[in-house]
Amino acid sequence: MVRWGGGRYEGGACLPLQPLQDAPVTMATPCPTWQHPDLSLHSQWLSLLLVLLLLLGPPTTPGMEDAAFPHMGESSQPLPRPCPLRCSCPRADTVDCDGLDLRVFPHITKEAQHLSLQNNQLQELPYNELSRLSGLRTLNLHNNLISSEGLPDEAFESLTQLQHIYVAHNKLSVAPQFLPRSLRVADLAANQVTEIFPLTFGEKPELRSVYLHNNQLSNAGLPPDAFHGSEAVTTLSLSNNQLSYLPPSLPPSLERLHLQNNLISKVPRGALSRQTHLRELYLQHNQLTDSGLDATTFRKLHRLEYLDLSHNQLAVVPAGLPRTLAVLHLGRNRIQQVEAARLRGARGLRYLLLQHNQLGAAGLPAGALRPLQGLHTLHIYGNGLERVPLALPRRLRSLVLPHNSVAALGAHDLAATPGLAELNLAYNHLDSARVHHQAFHPLRALRSLDLAGNQLTRVPTGLPAGLHTLRLQRNQLRALEPEPLAGLDQLRELSLAHNRLRVGDIEPGTWHELQALQVLDLSHNELSFVPPDLPEALEELHLQSNRISYVGPEAFLNTPSLRALFLRANRLHMTSIAPEAFLGLPHLCVVDTTGNPEQVLIQLPPTASRRPQAGGP
């Protein structure tokens, strides 16, 4: 017989158990079985099959050898999917469920370290789900519907490794009372937060960045120990809230502080005395007055590089500016005069922005900016200056003066700034009779000159030879002569739009020396046909809104590089453009003839690629 360990015969069935190790197998009478008399042959084959099965060993019994089979007390349902349905899991530790319109927090594998649930419809975070995710490092809940009621106080207690949390654009009315000690970045922007708590951001030695902008925080909602024990915070954004004064006890490690768009009228004395690492301070769009600042406000900010005080109510430049300051933005205040003494400490200043103040004729006295020997850019547009300020810093590279009342340029007005590369005098009161013929002569480095919107009747003479851009639109030019443009062989862009030019007013040879000119704007004049002898390098020609009624076959004979031609709003008819007009223009890809009395027929030579041409009334 076959010897089985613990085998027994019961009720006509053999119960196979594990064979004894190394037990001898001998043939004997099989277990009793019932047979039909007519099935004797089949019974012999069945007997043989039974012997073979016994020799091969019994089948595996569920629960005895299959470790994956559920044991007593365990569910027989399949294990949870490593990646939730419809989500993506680019790595084993990353789950991305962005933008799936989820309303219920999905079941996430506890191995997840980075979880994104942004752009969904979640209203709450169930504690039992979050508590499982103890290894989570990044939690992105941006742009959901989560309220403070849907965020239990203990929600983050088990997330002891969490480093980045993003809950911006939700419906929180108060901040979480507790966030993990391991946190590095916290973004609660664009909620309705009115209050934070000591352990929201306090006692976080690794915390680097906190974003609380676009909330409803007042000073009462910020506890004095809000950042106690968080000595590594470098970026704090509190812009677009309801703060009335600069909060005290800010982290001394701060490098960037955003407080713009609040109601701040005062910086309390000593409020910034510990922030010696601060590099960028944004206080624009507040209600600061001169009395809200004092000589000590910025004195200890020894690393400050960027200070924005624009859109306030300051009448003078603040005192005590640090030497390290590189950018000072004072635009849109009420400053009436700039005193040299106020700028003496900011000797490293490179960008000074004073646009839209109340600087009048005496607003910038001679030498007022002399302490700023390294000044690169000066913006003073939108004031009431009647002349270019005298004794400007010699190293100045950009002077932006549009929308003032400058009516004259003398021979020496710009002599103090020979390194000037950009000069913008647009929309002043300059007329040709009061612009000295040597006014621009000292500016050998000038590359861009903007004289648009003045009262010039002719192009100024003595323009620097290195000029790249010249803007003369919206003047009263009635004639173009070769002499003022002679020597401008580096000029690339010339705008003469919105003047009173006719073809007969453009003298022969006017364009002769403009060998580098690529863009020419003659729109909104009184031209009746395309001016002849245009520069050979021209790529873009604006002739819209003139009186052109015909384009002849030789109109563009000298401009083989032309790429774009604008002829809209002229007096062209269907056959006004000669079929041969565009021959020899292999690069032409845009011809705009819209806004003419009739649809204009355009024939372009074949090229490799072209944009559709515009045509029609």
Side-chain angles (χ1 to χ4, degrees), residues 339-359:
E339 303 173 18
R342 296 266 176 165
L343 296 170
R344 192 162 289 127
R347 295 182 180 273
L349 200 64
R350 289 182 55 77
Y351 298 86
L352 176 58
L353 312 178
L354 286 162
Q355 67 270 20
H356 294 291
N357 275 279
Q358 298 175 13
L359 298 172

Side-chain angles (χ1 to χ4, degrees), residues 300-312:
K300 294 191 177 181
L301 303 181
H302 303 308
R303 299 185 185 181
L304 191 65
E305 299 175 5
Y306 188 101
L307 175 58
D308 194 340
L309 291 166
S310 63
H311 295 267
N312 278 283

Side-chain angles (χ1 to χ4, degrees), residues 414-617:
L414 300 168
T417 55
L420 208 61
E422 178 191 7
L423 175 59
N424 191 332
L425 287 164
Y427 299 96
N428 277 276
H429 300 157
L430 291 170
D431 66 67
S432 295
R434 301 185 67 184
V435 177
H436 196 277
H437 67 277
Q438 289 189 332
F440 303 105
H441 182 72
L443 307 181
R444 303 293 178 87
L446 195 65
R447 298 293 178 265
S448 176
L449 176 59
D450 194 340
L451 295 169
N454 281 280
Q455 300 166 20
L456 302 174
T457 56
R458 60 180 181 269
V459 178
T461 57
L463 297 176
L467 208 58
H468 290 172
T469 302
L470 176 59
R471 296 186 175 93
L472 290 163
Q473 67 267 29
R474 295 186 182 276
N475 276 277
Q476 299 175 19
L477 299 179
R478 295 174 179 268
L480 290 180
E481 303 169 344
E483 183 184 357
L485 299 176
L488 300 183
D489 56 1
Q490 297 182 42
L491 194 66
R492 299 171 187 171
E493 181 179 345
L494 174 59
S495 179
L496 297 164
H498 290 277
N499 279 283
R500 300 181 179 180
L501 293 170
R502 300 180 180 182
V503 174
D505 299 329
I506 303 175
E507 293 191 9
T510 295
W511 320 111
H512 181 67
E513 295 194 35
L514 305 182
Q515 298 304 311
L517 194 66
Q518 297 176 345
V519 179
L520 176 59
D521 191 347
L522 286 164
S523 63
H524 297 273
N525 277 281
E526 299 174 11
L527 304 177
S528 56
F529 56 89
V530 179
D533 301 320
L534 293 171
E536 186 175 351
L538 202 62
E539 296 183 4
E540 188 174 316
L541 178 58
H542 293 261
L543 294 168
Q544 61 266 35
S545 297
N546 276 279
R547 301 174 180 178
I548 298 173
S549 59
Y550 179 68
V551 178
E554 298 182 354
F556 307 108
L557 195 61
N558 296 327
T559 56
S561 300
L562 198 63
R563 294 177 177 272
L565 174 62
F566 300 90
L567 287 164
R568 69 166 58 198
N570 275 279
R571 299 178 179 180
L572 297 171
H573 292 269
M574 183 178 297
T575 58
S576 293
I577 299 179
E580 305 88 357
F582 302 132
L583 292 177
L585 301 180
H587 306 291
L588 188 63
C589 56
V590 175
V591 177
D592 183 0
T593 60
T594 57
N596 279 280
E598 292 181 2
Q599 183 175 358
V600 181
L601 296 180
I602 300 172
Q603 282 187 310
L604 295 181
T607 58
S609 62
R610 276 189 203 286
R611 294 182 186 177
Q613 298 81 36

Side-chain angles (χ1 to χ4, degrees), residues 245-266:
Y245 57 88
L246 196 142
S249 304
L250 295 174
S253 53
L254 277 179
E255 296 180 7
R256 286 167 294 277
L257 177 57
H258 293 263
L259 289 164
Q260 62 266 36
N261 291 95
N262 275 278
L263 306 172
I264 296 174
S265 59
K266 183 178 181 180

Side-chain angles (χ1 to χ4, degrees), residues 350-422:
R350 289 182 55 77
Y351 298 86
L352 176 58
L353 312 178
L354 286 162
Q355 67 270 20
H356 294 291
N357 275 279
Q358 298 175 13
L359 298 172
L364 272 175
L369 304 180
R370 188 170 290 144
L372 309 178
Q373 291 302 312
L375 192 66
H376 178 282
T377 298
L378 176 61
H379 283 196
I380 42 180
Y381 56 85
N383 281 279
L385 299 175
E386 296 180 1
R387 64 177 302 172
V388 175
L390 298 177
L392 292 173
R394 187 173 181 82
R395 297 179 184 175
L396 193 66
R397 297 281 292 169
S398 177
L399 177 58
V400 184
L401 267 164
H403 295 283
N404 277 277
S405 300
V406 179
L409 279 179
H412 305 291
D413 286 1
L414 300 168
T417 55
L420 208 61
E422 178 191 7

